[in-house]
Amino acid sequence: GAGVSQSPSNKVTEKGKDVELRCDPISGHTALYWYRQSLGQGLEFLIYFQGNSAPDKSGLPSDRFSAERTGGSVSTLTIQRTQQEDSAVYLCASSLEGDYGYTFGSGTRLTVV
Amino acid sequence: GESVGLHLPTLSVQEGDNSIINCAYSNSASDYFIWYKQESGKGPQFIIDIRSNMDKRQGQRVTVLLNKTVKHLSLQIAATQPGDSAVYFCAEISINAGNMLTFGGGTRLMVKP
């Protein structure tokens, strides 16, 4: 597609429920990144996929967070047993290998009540 | 750990004036720096980048300056316009330390008409 697409744009969930956030990167982009942005804060790295290599999961805050990327394209970020501190905007970005000017999606705003 | 941060959380300027947004970084091994602009409800948008072997780079109405001696990065916006109102983030990457951008905390630029 023309840009990075994320869905849903907004998600309200009850504490303890699981949520799945979806990212459709730009076609042909081999690198895909997930970041988290809390209100009024900067971007916190979560996980990075590059081609068929093992993902860099060093930014995942706990084992409740996981992500996968199927077929080198679409990625899903899953948060299990959501907590109120998980409330944030989750941003996905993609890029060509070696290109550090990531293209970001508009994010999914997650609210845990 | 290594971090990227900003001096001023909010900058208010008059339309038509020049704006300067500053950023301090701590990782002397950073290879590459990028400025992003984030408007409300949107993901960050690439503005301009600079490699660590450069000290200045110019774009359309924007200039990035890099001072490696004091680990300081700045973004200059000429003739600031209302459309420039946004939050600006600096980001850095150290290629040998992982292939993801590390973001600073952001500066909000407000342009007064």
Side-chain angles (χ1 to χ4, degrees):
Chain A
V4 177
S5 178
Q6 292 188 245
S7 61
S9 55
N10 283 283
K11 176 71 175 179
V12 180
T13 191
E14 291 182 353
K15 178 181 174 181
K17 300 283 189 182
D18 297 353
V19 294
E20 286 189 351
L21 312 180
R22 177 186 170 105
C23 173
D24 281 277
I26 291 174
S27 179
H29 279 192
T30 56
L32 186 148
Y33 309 81
W34 283 98
Y35 283 81
R36 177 169 70 175
Q37 186 174 31
S38 300
L39 184 63
Q41 301 296 312
L43 280 71
E44 174 191 7
F45 166 74
L46 297 177
I47 188 169
Y48 158 54
F49 296 89
Q50 173 57 56
N52 296 321
S53 302
D56 180 340
K57 304 179 182 180
S58 60
L60 295 179
S62 77
D63 58 8
R64 296 186 295 105
F65 288 72
S66 63
E68 61 179 26
R69 188 178 186 191
T70 55
S73 181
V74 172
S75 177
T76 302
L77 177 69
T78 301
I79 309 173
Q80 296 178 310
R81 304 181 302 281
T82 51
Q83 304 295 313
Q84 288 186 328
E85 60 263 29
D86 299 334
S87 296
V89 175
Y90 289 81
L91 290 159
C92 176
S94 71
S95 71
L96 294 169
E97 184 176 3
D99 180 1
Y100 305 115
Y102 307 166
T103 301
F104 280 87
S106 294
T108 294
R109 180 175 297 278
L110 176 66
T111 304
V112 182
V113 297
Chain B
E2 300 290 2
S3 66
V4 178
L6 297 179
H7 295 307
L8 299 174
T10 303
L11 177 64
S12 184
V13 300
Q14 202 70 40
E15 180 179 357
D17 287 351
N18 297 334
S19 303
I20 300 177
I21 301 171
N22 297 302
C23 177
Y25 65 95
S26 58
N27 184 0
S28 57
S30 296
D31 300 294
Y32 195 70
F33 301 86
I34 302 179
W35 281 100
Y36 280 88
K37 171 187 181 183
Q38 186 175 28
E39 297 175 282
S40 181
K42 298 183 180 179
Q45 178 185 8
F46 174 93
I47 302 174
I48 191 167
D49 58 7
I50 188 167
R51 293 192 180 277
S52 61
N53 61 355
M54 302 170 65
D55 53 21
K56 180 179 181 179
R57 191 169 187 209
Q58 288 185 290
Q60 186 178 13
R61 280 202 309 118
V62 294
T63 301
V64 56
L65 299 178
L66 175 63
N67 185 331
K68 293 183 288 293
T69 302
V70 295
K71 297 179 187 173
H72 184 266
L73 190 70
S74 69
L75 176 70
Q76 300 179 1
I77 305 174
T80 312
Q81 302 170 359
D84 295 327
S85 293
V87 177
Y88 290 80
F89 294 94
C90 63
E92 63 88 15
I93 188 165
S94 178
I95 297 170
N96 291 333
N99 231 12
M100 75 292 294
L101 290 171
T102 299
F103 284 80
T107 293
R108 180 173 300 279
L109 176 66
M110 300 175 61
V111 182
K112 297 178 288 186

